[in-house]
Amino acid sequence: MGKAAPDACLDAIADYIDQSTVMHLCSAEPANYAGIAAVSLADVTMTADTDYTKANGDTNGRKVTVAAKNGVTVDTSGTGNHIVLARVADTTLRFVTTCTSQAVTSGNTVNFPAWDIETAGPT
């Protein structure tokens, strides 16, 4: 018996991420939206439907590419090791991933390169 997930199904995941309005560099994984404040080192406003691009996945499925953001001011010194996407309007944590560990200093800037979130099709 075959398995399938139409693009519309996988795009629903991308649409949820696409509505994120802020990206944070964090020193740890927050447990929920309220927990972001305790671990956020830098944050930048994201524009829903603009800073995200949906496309076919690199292998299969679908992906959403998160736009690069450069020169983001660091608010708190620390070591960033997680990237968090959240939506302010409904206080939801939308996506968390790890990143290459980087020490940052308050008042300096940090760059977020473009990155992908891939949802594989069923196998």
Side-chain angles (χ1 to χ4, degrees), residues 1-11 13 60-62 119-123:
M1 189 178 283
K3 300 176 186 175
D7 285 352
C9 175
L10 299 177
D11 281 348
I13 296 167
N60 69 14
R62 299 287 285 164
T119 306
T123 58

Side-chain angles (χ1 to χ4, degrees), residues 52-65:
Y52 307 92
T53 305
K54 288 184 287 191
N56 287 325
D58 292 335
T59 304
N60 69 14
R62 299 287 285 164
K63 71 179 176 182
V64 59
T65 299

Side-chain angles (χ1 to χ4, degrees), residues 29 81-83 95-101 115:
E29 179 180 355
N81 52 32
H82 284 78
I83 303 295
F95 193 84
V96 179
T97 191
T98 57
C99 64
T100 302
S101 184
W115 55 287

Side-chain angles (χ1 to χ4, degrees), residues 24-25 40-44 72-78 104-110:
H24 295 267
L25 173 64
S40 181
L41 304 175
D43 63 90
V44 62
V72 177
T73 300
V74 175
D75 301 313
T76 305
S77 297
V104 295
T105 303
S106 179
N108 287 348
T109 60
V110 65

